[in-house]
Amino acid sequence: MSSTAVRRTVLAASAAALTLLATACGGSSDGDSAAGDDKAKAEQSAPAEGTEESAPAGKALTAAELEKVALAQADVKNGEVATELSADDRVAKDRISADDTACLPLVHVQGAVAQGEPAADVQRSWQGQSESPSQSKGPDGQGMTDIDVNKIMLNVASYADGGAEEAMAGLKAAVEKCADGFDATVGSDRMRVTKVSGLDRLKTGDEGLTVDIGVATGEDTDGLMKLVVVRKGTTLATFSAVNLSSMMTGAQFEVPAEVVDAQVAKLG
């Protein structure tokens, strides 16, 4: 699987984050400075008191309305929200395919592409990292730091005439039909999903589910990514999450709940 395919289809983080994970060492970080920068960004983008946006109930939202209720920097305490996907992450819907069309809904979530034909949709991404003392020591016996990087790509789409319910039904069917894996093409790259599992029902929104996706990476173990989907009324929010360590080891990880909860809360 090419590095470009990994970057686009399993949502690997930016080159800077990859470098941090690869080194996973070094003394103190610029955490205090970064925290100050994050706080400044939040203050700049925070809505005025008493003006928090939420989605109107019962109707399909316009693109402008979705922009107001989609995740923003002020909605999260940690990590960085981008209101535009990078060129590496962004892919046109007509350039996504699967050898089994029943599995396409899963690939669309992976690529932060809307299900079906929404009235409007918007995309976001979030990236965060945590640091913890490493069990490894440096060449001179100095302490080292393990850096854990998470990335989520989001799509928030609104539908008319029962489209959100139909999209959710298609995703649930895809999880069951594609359990043994499938091949997909994203842009010019191919990927192999080795297994689909874990149709857990989330207790949030009107409907919700979370899914584990095994991805062939060319290593001894498959990588792991997770999909989360929440429907609230006529709006569908999809989250495609990757933890860079889990992409190398296949180990389980938790999708940052703060990001999912913050987005769902804005849907009303």
Side-chain angles (χ1 to χ4, degrees):
M1 189 175 187
S2 71
S3 60
T4 303
V6 171
R7 188 166 58 246
R8 288 181 178 173
T9 60
V10 300
L11 315 181
S14 66
L18 285 167
T19 301
L20 285 170
L21 186 66
T23 56
C25 65
S28 63
S29 68
D30 296 329
D32 292 341
S33 174
D37 291 344
D38 286 346
K39 182 179 179 181
K41 290 176 184 176
E43 289 172 347
Q44 291 170 5
S45 58
E49 185 176 352
T51 62
E52 181 178 348
E53 298 286 354
S54 61
K59 73 180 187 69
L61 305 186
T62 65
E65 289 171 327
L66 284 177
E67 287 288 350
K68 294 179 180 179
V69 298
L71 193 72
Q73 187 66 52
D75 301 323
V76 293
K77 294 180 179 179
N78 303 298
E80 184 172 347
V81 174
T83 56
E84 258 185 58
L85 298 189
S86 69
D88 285 335
D89 288 335
R90 191 168 54 249
V91 61
K93 188 172 186 176
D94 61 5
R95 300 196 69 202
I96 293 177
S97 62
D99 61 348
D100 185 343
T101 56
C103 305
L104 264 178
L106 300 172
V107 191
H108 288 156
V109 175
Q110 287 176 296
V113 171
Q115 306 292 314
E117 298 296 333
D121 73 289
V122 298
Q123 296 172 312
R124 294 287 188 270
S125 70
W126 172 92
Q127 184 171 304
Q129 68 183 52
S130 60
E131 300 181 10
S132 59
S134 175
Q135 295 182 354
S136 303
K137 297 293 183 181
D140 298 324
Q142 75 270 30
M144 300 176 71
T145 301
D146 288 335
I147 300 175
D148 199 25
V149 180
N150 292 288
K151 184 170 182 181
I152 298 177
M153 294 209 309
L154 300 79
N155 184 284
V156 185
S158 191
Y159 297 81
D161 303 324
E165 292 88 341
E166 183 179 343
M168 180 64 85
L171 279 160
K172 292 176 181 177
V175 172
E176 297 175 358
K177 293 178 180 178
C178 305
D180 294 332
F182 57 92
D183 291 315
T185 299
V186 180
S188 60
D189 301 304
R190 289 189 61 79
M191 64 177 288
R192 172 65 187 168
V193 171
T194 57
K195 62 181 178 180
V196 178
S197 62
L199 183 58
D200 297 325
R201 310 291 179 174
L202 296 179
K203 295 180 180 179
T204 187
D206 296 323
E207 292 183 90
L209 60 89
T210 180
V211 184
D212 287 359
I213 302 287
V215 181
T217 61
E219 304 297 331
D220 293 337
T221 58
D222 293 336
L224 174 67
M225 66 183 305
K226 295 197 173 193
L227 311 181
V228 176
V229 183
V230 178
R231 181 182 68 81
K232 183 68 175 179
T234 63
T235 305
L236 196 69
T238 67
F239 308 77
S240 183
V242 66
N243 172 282
L244 292 191
S245 177
S246 296
M247 278 308 305
M248 290 190 248
T249 65
Q252 278 290 335
F253 69 97
E254 294 294 326
V255 177
E258 176 192 9
V259 180
V260 176
D261 292 346
Q263 178 57 83
V264 174
K266 294 187 76 172
L267 299 182

